[in-house]
Amino acid sequence: MKLNTTIVAGEQLFTADHEAFRDQVRRFVRERVEPHAEEWNAAGMLPRSIWIEMGELGFLGTAYAECFGGSDVDLLYSVVLAEELTKTRVSGFSFAVCNHKDMSSNYMLDASQEIQDKYLPRVVSGELICGFALTEPSGGSDVAAIRTSAVRDDSDFVINGQKVFITNGISADLIIVVARTDPKPARPHEGISLFAVETTTSGFRKGAPLQKMGNRASDTAELFFEDMRVPAANLIGEEGKGWGLIMADLGIERLLSCGIYISACEEMLRITADYAQNRKVFGRSVSEFQVNAHKLAEMYTEVTLAKVFFYDVLRRYMAGENLIKEISMIKYIASDLANKIAYACVSLHGGWGYMKEYAISQWFTDVRLFNIGAGTSEIMKEIIVKQLFGSPEKAQK
Ligand SMILES: Cc1cc2nc3c(=O)[nH]c(=O)nc-3n(C[C@H](O)[C@H](O)[C@H](O)COP(=O)(O)OP(=O)(O)OC[C@H]3O[C@@H](n4cnc5c(N)ncnc54)[C@H](O)[C@@H]3O)c2cc1C
């Protein structure tokens, strides 16, 4: 009998409509994405045509109002997309797409009506690809230490600085740039502002694509701004109040990322259970040895726990609870778990797990990003401890 690693969770959360949408996304991945895995991984980016296709299917507009061409449905549709777009050998596919639709363009919901009308319809249609540029070469964990500056000059801001590791940075047409508008704020997190910047703006330069160990079809870039003039109308939210917007959106980014992490865990388990059952050693299946069967049981249990906790945090988040601590907890648990599972699954594959032709070897390098991107596990623990005790110093007393 075939080992069944399907995890049952979230029955009370997802409706029949969500599940119908899930079926549609699964079919799309199977028929329109998966066949291109080798080609897109080698190209290091996704073709324009797949963005347009996702736009036509309504995948890119779930978070946007109908006046922008979106469907304005609940967050669970974004979760379904994050989960299902992960189940492909196109490396980093869900990261590229979720980054565009839920981790960058969504900042424009706080921009002026003019900016929303100008850009959001093309975000939803897939004609305009977005990215979010916060991290700088001098450091990404310490968000308040950014150095990129934006100086007001009449009706423009003049932006100078540099960003690194920007997802969709090569393919993007529009980047949400985080810059310091107050060089000497009373407190470090004050005086930070966000701008919607077209990548064709004079003074905007993209570096060569960064060569990564994994997530290869999701392009990543360094960006350079040299006396780049951006109309003041492209300021998102109030000048100097960017920190609050970033913190709010990082919550959604981290939650949706957990959809990706847990889905990756489920894929790794499925692939490995199948392999361990079919691979014969000493005349028996790898999975028949109790030590290996127990390993599969442990992994299945841990992924189930993470998934149940994730859905519980999601449910409470959607009900309006403030869950900074819980989001940090599930982000660190799920991303670390994916790495633990990847390690064990490669081992269960033996030498074949180290070979590129086996999907598990790709997962091994893809999941390595999980506890680095969108805030490292160390930073998640810092947030948790601050929430628990007020500050780490206090916690040690
Ligand atoms: C593939 C990829 C895609 C990315 N996409 C984007 C993107 O689209 N947009 C964007 O803005 N950024 C993006 N990032 C950047 C990512 O968010 C940062 O890499 C991450 O936040 C860590 O920052 P850093 O790399 O500068 O590491 P650092 O901040 O230099 O940290 C180095 C080490 O020190 C640890 N550390 C830092 N501070 C503390 C502390 N207080 N206590 C204990 N340990 C600490 C960290 O956990 C880490 O282990 C991406 C990164 C990668 C690799």
Side-chain angles (χ1 to χ4, degrees):
M1 223 170 65
K2 197 173 179 314
L3 276 171
N4 180 3
T5 57
T6 308
I7 292 172
V8 179
E11 311 97 307
Q12 273 109 42
L13 203 56
F14 296 96
T15 63
D17 286 346
H18 294 119
E19 293 308 331
F21 182 64
R22 188 185 295 281
D23 287 344
Q24 186 195 2
V25 181
R26 274 189 187 155
R27 203 165 46 248
F28 165 77
V29 169
R30 193 172 57 241
E31 293 171 6
R32 306 296 305 151
V33 178
E34 186 61 17
H36 302 285
E38 260 179 56
E39 180 193 342
W40 296 351
N41 289 345
M45 62 194 298
L46 304 174
R48 284 263 157 189
S49 55
I50 200 70
W51 291 98
I52 299 292
E53 208 171 319
M54 286 187 285
E56 284 166 357
L57 288 167
F59 291 178
L60 306 180
T62 58
Y64 295 108
E66 287 177 18
C67 60
F68 303 124
S71 49
D72 202 11
V73 284
D74 64 42
L75 184 64
L76 294 177
Y77 285 85
S78 293
V79 174
V80 168
L81 275 164
E83 290 175 337
E84 297 307 325
L85 296 183
T86 298
K87 293 174 182 169
T88 168
R89 286 175 310 123
V90 175
S91 174
F93 184 64
S94 52
F95 264 115
V97 179
C98 294
N99 195 285
H100 161 81
K101 70 181 281 292
D102 296 302
M103 304 170 184
S104 56
S105 58
N106 49 320
Y107 280 96
M108 284 187 282
L109 292 172
D110 286 295
S112 66
Q113 192 64 45
E114 180 194 341
I115 291 298
Q116 294 189 17
D117 291 342
K118 187 172 177 186
Y119 296 124
L120 289 181
R122 285 182 290 148
V123 164
V124 171
S125 68
E127 289 162 84
L128 197 141
I129 301 170
C130 290
F132 177 66
L134 168 65
T135 305
E136 302 190 352
S138 55
S141 302
D142 189 359
V143 175
I146 59 157
R147 296 175 186 172
T148 294
S149 65
V151 178
R152 185 97 192 206
D153 185 27
D154 289 333
S155 58
D156 292 337
F157 279 89
V158 180
I159 301 183
N160 279 286
Q162 187 179 343
K163 300 288 178 181
V164 72
F165 306 146
I166 306 309
T167 300
N168 295 339
I170 297 294
S171 45
D173 308 287
L174 189 87
I175 297 276
I176 308 303
V177 174
V178 183
R180 184 162 280 296
T181 38
D182 181 352
K184 287 186 183 148
R187 291 186 296 168
H189 63 271
E190 291 171 353
I192 290 173
S193 303
L194 271 55
F195 299 88
V197 180
E198 295 183 31
T199 57
T200 50
T201 307
S202 170
F204 187 115
R205 187 163 60 83
K206 297 175 180 180
L210 292 169
Q211 300 301 313
K212 307 188 297 296
M213 69 157 87
N215 295 286
R216 286 180 297 140
S218 158
D219 69 78
T220 313
E222 275 184 288
L223 305 176
F224 304 89
F225 317 126
E226 286 150 12
D227 291 330
M228 177 176 75
R229 295 190 86 86
V230 176
N234 285 36
L235 176 71
I236 295 175
E238 272 181 70
E239 182 177 338
K241 303 280 186 212
W243 178 269
L245 301 180
I246 296 168
M247 290 305 125
D249 277 62
L250 272 177
I252 294 191
E253 174 170 351
R254 287 172 183 157
L255 259 182
L256 291 177
S257 295
C258 289
I260 294 176
Y261 306 158
I262 294 167
S263 187
C265 288
E266 291 180 279
E267 269 301 274
M268 291 188 283
L269 261 182
R270 183 185 64 76
I271 292 166
T272 305
D274 195 40
Y275 181 86
Q277 218 174 358
N278 288 311
R279 172 74 171 175
K280 300 278 188 272
V281 290
F282 295 93
R284 282 195 282 161
S285 295
V286 168
S287 59
E288 281 176 46
F289 290 85
Q290 194 178 45
V291 63
N292 299 328
H294 280 193
K295 179 48 80 183
L296 288 168
E298 282 166 20
M299 292 193 288
Y300 180 75
T301 306
E302 286 177 293
V303 179
T304 302
L305 288 174
K307 192 167 183 178
V308 169
F309 181 44
F310 169 52
Y311 283 165
D312 188 55
V313 175
L314 247 184
R315 179 187 58 74
R316 291 171 59 194
Y317 179 84
M318 290 174 69
E321 283 189 58
N322 181 357
L323 296 174
I324 296 171
K325 173 165 58 49
E326 287 76 7
I327 291 174
S328 307
M329 284 157 63
I330 185 59
K331 160 83 169 79
Y332 117 70
I333 283 287
S335 59
D336 280 4
L337 179 61
N339 278 283
K340 187 174 153 188
I341 299 249
Y343 187 90
C345 287
V346 168
S347 294
L348 282 168
H349 276 73
W352 294 112
Y354 200 66
M355 298 298 130
K356 280 194 168 174
E357 65 186 279
Y358 278 77
I360 196 63
S361 72
Q362 182 175 303
W363 281 115
F364 188 75
T365 46
D366 282 359
V367 306
R368 196 60 196 85
L369 174 64
F370 292 0
N371 56 15
I372 298 172
T376 66
S377 283
E378 291 75 25
I379 294 300
M380 293 307 105
K381 289 172 197 171
E382 281 293 293
I383 297 172
I384 296 164
V385 94
K386 277 182 187 147
Q387 291 286 313
L388 285 176
F389 301 108
S391 72
E393 291 74 28
K394 217 169 145 189
Q396 280 160 17
K397 284 184 186 160

